[in-house]
Amino acid sequence: MTIFLIITYYFILACFYYSYSPDWKMKTGRPFVVSVPSYEQNNPRLHEILDGYHGTIRTFFLIMAGLGLLFLVPQISWSIRFAALLLSILPCFFIPSFYGRKARASVMALKRAEYWPRADSGSYHVDLSLDRKAVNKAMAPLYAFLASLLPHAATVWTCVTAQAASYALIGASVCSLLLLSAGYFYIKHMANRTFCDDSERNLALNQYRKYSFSWILVFMTASDGFLYLALLPGLTGQAVGSFAAVLTSLCAAAACIVLVFIRLTDYRNTKEKLLAGASRFLYDEDDYWYIGLWGLCYNNPYDPALFKANNSGGINMCVNKARPGSRVFWSVSLGLPALMIIWLLGYPWYLDATHSLVDVKLSDGLIRVESSLYRKSIPVDIIEDASLIWELGNGSKSYGTSTPNYGTGSFRYDLYGSVKAYAAWKHPPFLLLHTAEGTYLINDDDPAGTEALYEQLNSLLDPLPRGGNAGEVFE
């Protein structure tokens, strides 16, 4: 788990560092999305601003990389480590954006002081000869979209059939399905762009744009699915699959991400090749870009595009806040995670508050742990002994799910060793069942129900519970 957190932490840092790199580079001629004429790209004052920003960002990320070593400190609990991982994302937004605003203001001031020309002060051009139906057909085949859902289907099927299901992964897979559907609809109905004064080139570019973007959506959806498959052993209460299967899933997810970058690079190169020698229609929107709290922002009511390429050369895109569709986009983007949080934390809290979190009973020779969130059946004839405990003591999760209200999966306690838990944390006592398959930790959300089940087991088990006489309770 430590290695997983460290890899995740440094991967996040690398992604942030890479996303800010176009701001100090002249590769696209638009540092901080400010159009720089070709004859000014070696301006010493400009490079002084870019180098200063680069040095600041590099120092910041080196400090953040050093903080990642704290994950190796064994005295820090897993909950604190995970919280630190989440909190580390916030400075990666705020601090580079703060220095980016200052650097962009300096570049804009230099542009005004030296009278850099605008790329084009005219209006947008529309090629009315473009065939919308012909362009809309240029999508990835439907079977590719269905194939990208296979790893998600495998994840959901495994979670549903496993008695210690990970509802986080089920929710994530459902969100991926919704995003795939919304992305397919958006790309298919994306408005045509007029790139140049040649209608044939405009048609070819719009077709290839939809074709490339649809394949990128397929690869991104598949990469998420393979990542969820790799996370199954850690987030379900059972050891699903082998190390080789996990490694294969991670490699497949990485391969899909590589294919995304290959497709983006191919689209960019094809676009440059098709537009070579053509009269391009450009629009200077420098005044409509700014750097907000979360990074680059675009707010241009005269631009009909919802998504706008920033200074990355087409790899990253920004939402045009002036378009009505931006509200829908942000509502979905923020609403889905909010719904997942409500599902993962709010729903268990509601079940706990209404005393319907879990019911444990003995029937037909089975101890049945039944909950809307997890379930388990334990045959009585495999139970070697049972103990009633009120205090769990110090422990940690090996894998599984643990919220403030319940926990399922593998846990390790100083007093009891490794246990398979299906427990409502806030409602002691707990039943500790020693079996040939391992030790189980279960309880009802009604303490009286747990105690009644213990009394039933005492009347059935022979020999008596290990460590004392029948009915002995361990504090």
Side-chain angles (χ1 to χ4, degrees), residues 46 53 70 90 97 125 165 174 208 240 261 279 283 301 326 348 351 450:
L46 173 62
Y53 174 75
L70 294 176
L90 298 179
S97 296
H125 300 263
V174 172
Y208 201 69
V240 182
F261 283 98
S279 298
Y283 190 87
S326 67
L351 293 176
T450 305

Side-chain angles (χ1 to χ4, degrees), residues 119-120 123-127 193-199 202 275 278-284 308:
D120 184 4
S123 59
Y124 279 96
H125 300 263
V126 178
D127 190 344
R193 275 190 65 185
T194 302
F195 296 92
C196 62
D197 56 357
D198 187 333
S199 294
N202 286 329
L275 289 176
S279 298
R280 303 191 188 193
F281 294 143
L282 302 175
Y283 190 87
D284 187 0
K308 189 72 175 179

Side-chain angles (χ1 to χ4, degrees), residues 328-344:
V328 177
F329 173 83
W330 288 116
S331 297
V332 173
S333 300
L334 299 177
L336 288 179
L339 288 176
M340 286 196 64
I341 292 174
I342 293 174
W343 169 255
L344 293 175

Side-chain angles (χ1 to χ4, degrees), residues 129-139 188 190 192 202-211:
S129 64
L130 292 177
D131 186 350
R132 184 181 181 89
K133 291 184 178 179
V135 174
N136 286 348
K137 292 179 180 178
M139 296 279 289
K188 187 174 181 64
M190 189 164 50
N192 291 327
N202 286 329
L203 177 62
L205 272 174
N206 278 286
Q207 288 178 327
Y208 201 69
R209 182 171 67 136
K210 289 199 175 186
Y211 181 77

Side-chain angles (χ1 to χ4, degrees), residues 307-360:
F307 296 99
K308 189 72 175 179
N310 56 20
N311 58 345
S312 63
I315 294 179
N316 297 326
M317 304 192 78
C318 189
V319 178
N320 185 359
K321 296 174 66 176
R323 305 305 303 166
S326 67
R327 300 181 181 87
V328 177
F329 173 83
W330 288 116
S331 297
V332 173
S333 300
L334 299 177
L336 288 179
L339 288 176
M340 286 196 64
I341 292 174
I342 293 174
W343 169 255
L344 293 175
L345 298 178
Y347 183 56
W349 177 87
Y350 168 78
L351 293 176
D352 204 355
T354 56
H355 303 290
S356 54
L357 178 59
V358 60
D359 181 36
V360 180

